[in-house]
Amino acid sequence: MTRRRLLQSAAVVLLLALAGWAVSRGLDRLAGGPPADAGSSADPTAPSADVRHITATLFFGSADGQALVGVRREVPLADGVVPQGREILTAQLQSAPEPYVSVIPQGTTLRAFYITDRGDAFIDLSGEVSSAHGGGSSTELLTVYALVHAVTANLPSIRRVQILVDGREVDTLAGHVDLRRPLDPDPSLVRQEP
Amino acid sequence: MSVPVLLLLLASLLQAQGTPPPAPLTLVSREGRRPVQTTMAGGQELIALDEVAALFQVAVREDTLAGGLTLTYRGRTAVVSVDRPMASVAGRVVALPSAPVRSGAGRRWLVPVELLPRVLGPIYDARIELRRPSRLLIVGDLRVPRVTARIDAAGPPTRATVEIAPAAPVNVTTEAGRLLLRVDADALDLGLPADGAGLIDQIRPGDQPTTLVVVLDRSAGAARAMPSEAGAVTRVVVEVTPAAVADAPPPAPPPAPAPESAAVPPLLFAPRPVLQTIVIDPGHGGDDRGVRGAGGTEEKQITLEVARRLRALIEARLGVRVVLTRDDDRTVGLDDRTAAANNSKADLFLSLHLNAAPAASVAGAEVFHLRLDQEGDAARRAADTDAVSLPVLGGARRTIDVIRWDLAQARHVDASAVLAGMLEEELRAHVTMGSRPLQEALLRVLTGVNMPAALVEMTYLTNAGEEGRVRSEEFQNAVAQSIFGAVLRFRAHLEALRQP
């Protein structure tokens, strides 16, 4: 092996290491302001010894039920943006840790998650997200934007999110928020907590 | 008992039974108008105390030991002396024109009508004003300007003046054989001449409580009305000229053409009113119950009840057409609600809802208007720049705005923001507001309506205390009154924008 080939190999290894570090940092990025740390004792997605994890920001209802709060949780590391999105959304659909409140109806499951070339993500949820929703503009806004922020805050390449139910486009979840097009994040719904 | 004493007793009895006054009082309040019967006795106008109790929800108790009549309203009391023309209100002595008297059968107490503003007013929730000359009893902070009319000159031309004090905007409409003056007020305190003169047959109240009609003579021709405001008075000068006579002698040779500035049309044609149709959208309905409170109260029922109250208020006091997107318990799709508004060519769209929160303590009203997303913003820009000019019959051209049907609200977002701000301010004066009282959001029912629009979440049905309140007449009236107040303000805003 010539000295030139040795230098090329070293450069490739260095670039791969840098890329890995950048992806890890990117997943760690927040939507706005420092998220609260939910702790790990009651964490259903607590890391196990043999699975690598990343720290993602999930969004739950504030204790007073009037805003979203970013909460740091450990989620399994996946290979690629789409699998990583699935992991994040699966964690997002879990019950909220204390003292936060859930804004996504219990029983809602992720059917599919995919991304278009334009950087729009599609979250396909089971029907419970609509049929079990309690209604009201405010709760519906929290439900929708918890999902939108969970994706855009953790996957920097995604700018907008559209929600599907049972594989189909829907007008709304409970009669209020327009879901016919991909949605931008709405930082006004996210409260910064110390 | 001697004969003179018997005669005296008989006269006293007849006097207490009283005779009716020339006309009943008219009670004017936020809820509407209703007549109130009074009676004349001993030169005083009296009202039955049990009528007062029923009208104002006042508890009346006769205290024989203290020699007085106790009036209680929400824990506040006033005592009226039965043998002296006075009352005690919160420790203060108030004079009355006469003492109460018993009616002929002795079962009813009659009190002077002045008791209403002087004694009941201080312990009541709302202002009570008695205007005896115009026979009005005004309850609440209503705008009831004094409107006087006089005929200044029989002419021709016939000139008349209508004065409104305090000043209020007036909209003048010219109709066949009459001028219609619509005053922006809650009611009018009218002082009108008994007869007409010259080319004006009569000046009389209109069909609506805030309108006045100038009835023209058959021989009247052009009529013009010129409103102006000076100090605290709005003055409308009416001038009526005679019609051209068909068999008049041949006209003289035409004079030289008048300068263009003199070519003012003889009639003052009022432009189309800024508010002709309002669509009220009671949220949910039928299979879609909306939010359901822990006690079983359903959003769809309350939204319909408030919508009906609001419709009655607007129709009665503004004379504006009101369309409900549903008037019973049935399912109506969001597109159908939008279509109802657009097909009615409504000037305003108001959607009524009750809110829900994941925490039971959240309460208060919130107002939403549309926030545009990327597509909406693009549609708005396109509407501004892509208007199409098409030829029409007669050689003129007509400009057609081009906008996506499902994004029609894009061109009204600024006006909707103004409307929502007024709704928030009016609601704040009557009901508790939520922590985010005014919000922009991408709400489906607002995106396609082609007119200023807002959505009102009246309070949170997930709050147990609020669930009890929303069923009450008091809450529903407060919300309806607040929205009505905002509609009035928004109408004034639109009229101000129209001024050159």
Side-chain angles (χ1 to χ4, degrees):
Chain A
M1 187 181 290
T2 65
R3 182 175 174 179
R4 183 171 176 175
R5 176 155 292 209
L6 271 173
L7 281 172
Q8 283 176 337
S9 300
V12 168
V13 169
L14 186 61
L15 278 173
L16 283 173
L18 276 171
W21 177 81
V23 167
S24 173
R25 294 295 295 171
L27 290 171
D28 210 13
R29 197 169 74 88
L30 305 179
D37 193 340
S40 58
S41 59
D43 184 353
T45 58
S48 60
D50 54 344
V51 180
R52 293 180 63 198
H53 286 76
I54 61 160
T55 302
T57 303
L58 306 181
F59 290 83
F60 299 103
S62 57
D64 63 8
Q66 300 190 40
L68 293 173
V69 176
V71 178
R72 283 187 173 183
R73 307 299 299 271
E74 296 294 306
V75 300
L77 175 67
D79 186 16
V81 177
V82 170
Q84 190 63 67
R86 289 196 192 104
E87 293 291 351
I88 290 166
L89 285 167
T90 301
Q92 176 68 58
L93 296 177
Q94 305 299 315
S95 297
E98 289 288 336
Y100 307 107
V101 292
S102 292
V103 293
I104 299 171
Q106 201 170 13
T108 303
T109 56
L110 181 69
R111 297 178 78 248
F113 175 74
Y114 52 93
I115 300 171
T116 68
D117 294 340
R118 296 173 56 188
D120 293 339
F122 286 77
I123 304 172
D124 183 7
L125 298 170
S126 64
E128 287 85 352
V129 72
S130 179
S131 62
H133 201 284
S137 298
S138 295
T139 302
E140 199 172 326
L141 282 165
L142 297 181
T143 305
V144 168
Y145 284 95
L147 293 159
V148 172
H149 279 262
V151 173
T152 56
N154 295 296
L155 304 173
S157 61
I158 295 173
R159 295 167 56 195
R160 300 193 306 172
V161 177
Q162 182 161 4
I163 296 169
L164 311 177
V165 178
D166 285 336
R168 289 187 289 272
E169 286 188 10
V170 290
D171 276 5
T172 68
L173 293 182
H176 305 92
V177 184
D178 193 346
L179 297 183
R180 293 173 298 172
R181 294 183 294 275
L183 299 171
D184 293 300
D186 183 353
S188 72
L189 292 170
V190 181
R191 182 188 295 169
Q192 312 299 327
E193 292 215 334
Chain B
M1 193 178 287
S2 66
V3 172
V5 172
L6 277 173
L7 286 174
L8 198 64
L9 273 175
L10 187 62
S12 167
L13 196 63
L14 287 172
Q15 196 178 48
Q17 280 179 327
T19 54
L25 291 172
T26 299
L27 187 150
V28 181
S29 70
R30 296 279 181 206
E31 282 69 47
R33 303 162 72 94
R34 58 173 297 176
V36 177
Q37 293 298 334
T38 60
T39 186
M40 296 300 293
Q44 296 295 329
E45 186 172 3
L46 306 175
I47 183 170
L49 204 50
D50 52 3
E51 173 102 0
V52 174
L55 276 175
F56 294 93
Q57 304 296 306
V58 175
V60 177
R61 186 169 54 86
E62 185 174 353
D63 190 340
T64 49
L65 283 178
L69 301 165
T70 303
L71 278 61
T72 305
Y73 180 77
R74 295 194 172 176
R76 299 185 286 273
T77 59
V79 180
V80 184
S81 170
V82 294
D83 50 11
R84 298 172 63 189
M86 56 174 282
S88 170
V89 184
R92 195 166 56 86
V93 175
V94 175
L96 292 170
S98 67
V101 293
R102 283 191 186 274
S103 68
R107 289 189 299 271
R108 306 177 85 193
W109 280 103
L110 302 175
V111 293
V113 290
E114 286 79 2
L115 172 136
L116 297 171
R118 296 184 194 173
V119 178
L120 182 58
I123 64 169
Y124 199 62
D125 283 342
R127 190 169 66 95
I128 300 176
E129 184 184 357
L130 177 65
R131 297 189 192 176
R132 285 188 71 178
S134 47
R135 311 295 299 153
L136 290 180
L137 180 62
I138 301 164
V139 179
D141 287 322
L142 303 185
R143 296 171 304 149
V144 188
R146 176 81 180 148
V147 178
T148 52
R150 63 175 185 271
I151 295 178
D152 301 313
T158 304
R159 290 196 180 88
T161 304
V162 178
E163 289 186 338
I164 300 148
V170 183
N171 189 8
V172 182
T173 311
T174 306
E175 300 176 351
R178 66 180 200 166
L179 292 177
L180 180 68
L181 278 66
R182 189 185 298 277
V183 183
D184 188 1
D186 298 307
L188 303 181
D189 179 353
L190 293 169
L192 305 177
D195 300 309
L199 299 169
I200 294 178
D201 275 351
Q202 190 186 12
I203 302 178
R204 62 168 176 80
D207 297 333
Q208 300 293 328
T210 57
T211 57
L212 187 68
V213 177
V214 179
V215 183
L216 306 180
D217 187 76
R218 283 169 180 241
S219 57
R224 55 187 297 174
M226 290 153 288
S228 63
E229 194 170 319
V233 177
T234 298
R235 185 170 289 114
V236 183
V237 176
V238 177
E239 183 175 296
V240 188
T241 54
V245 181
D247 56 355
E260 198 170 329
S261 61
V264 177
L267 289 177
L268 180 72
F269 290 103
R272 175 189 184 274
V274 292
L275 286 187
Q276 281 191 319
T277 303
I278 296 174
V279 169
I280 302 172
D281 173 41
H284 309 280
D287 297 336
D288 175 9
R289 297 166 185 266
V291 183
R292 192 179 167 92
T297 308
E298 293 177 342
E299 180 184 3
K300 65 173 183 176
Q301 179 61 30
I302 304 297
T303 57
L304 183 58
E305 288 173 11
V306 176
R308 287 172 174 162
R309 287 177 194 273
L310 182 57
R311 175 178 61 184
L313 203 54
I314 292 173
E315 284 183 342
R317 295 184 38 203
L318 281 185
V320 169
R321 176 176 170 240
V322 176
V323 176
L324 299 192
T325 55
R326 66 178 178 96
D327 199 6
D328 51 22
D329 183 20
R330 62 193 166 91
T331 307
V332 181
L334 295 173
D335 280 335
D336 292 332
R337 294 169 193 262
T338 301
N342 292 345
N343 293 339
S344 303
K345 300 193 184 311
D347 304 298
L348 211 56
F349 179 83
L350 297 163
S351 191
L352 304 180
H353 288 256
L354 283 166
N355 217 338
S361 59
V362 185
E366 290 166 2
V367 182
F368 291 82
H369 58 104
L370 186 69
R371 188 190 72 184
L372 292 180
D373 60 1
Q374 287 181 17
E375 278 82 356
D377 208 31
R380 183 190 192 187
R381 286 195 301 274
D384 292 341
T385 57
D386 294 354
V388 176
S389 179
L390 298 174
V392 294
L393 283 175
R397 298 187 75 80
R398 184 176 173 196
T399 302
I400 308 290
D401 292 331
V402 178
I403 192 162
R404 275 174 53 180
W405 71 270
D406 59 336
L407 291 170
Q409 177 63 191
R411 58 194 298 209
H412 302 285
V413 284
D414 292 339
S416 296
V418 172
L419 170 67
M422 291 175 176
L423 283 164
E424 190 268 328
E425 288 171 10
E426 292 295 321
L427 283 162
R428 184 178 293 282
H430 293 94
V431 300
T432 307
M433 298 304 290
S435 62
R436 301 183 68 213
L438 186 59
Q439 298 183 52
E440 273 185 289
L442 196 59
L443 297 185
R444 173 74 171 82
V445 78
L446 298 181
T447 55
V449 286
N450 191 17
M451 65 215 66
L455 184 147
V456 176
E457 293 279 4
M458 297 179 274
T459 187
Y460 283 78
L461 200 48
T462 41
N463 181 306
E466 293 294 278
E467 183 181 1
R469 247 164 46 84
V470 299
R471 292 194 293 255
S472 73
E473 193 172 318
E474 184 185 8
F475 176 85
Q476 296 186 7
N477 282 341
V479 172
Q481 191 61 54
S482 306
I483 297 173
F484 176 72
V487 170
L488 276 182
R489 286 180 57 190
F490 191 68
R491 185 179 69 169
H493 166 77
L494 294 178
E495 285 169 346
L497 289 179
R498 183 185 271 181
Q499 300 298 323

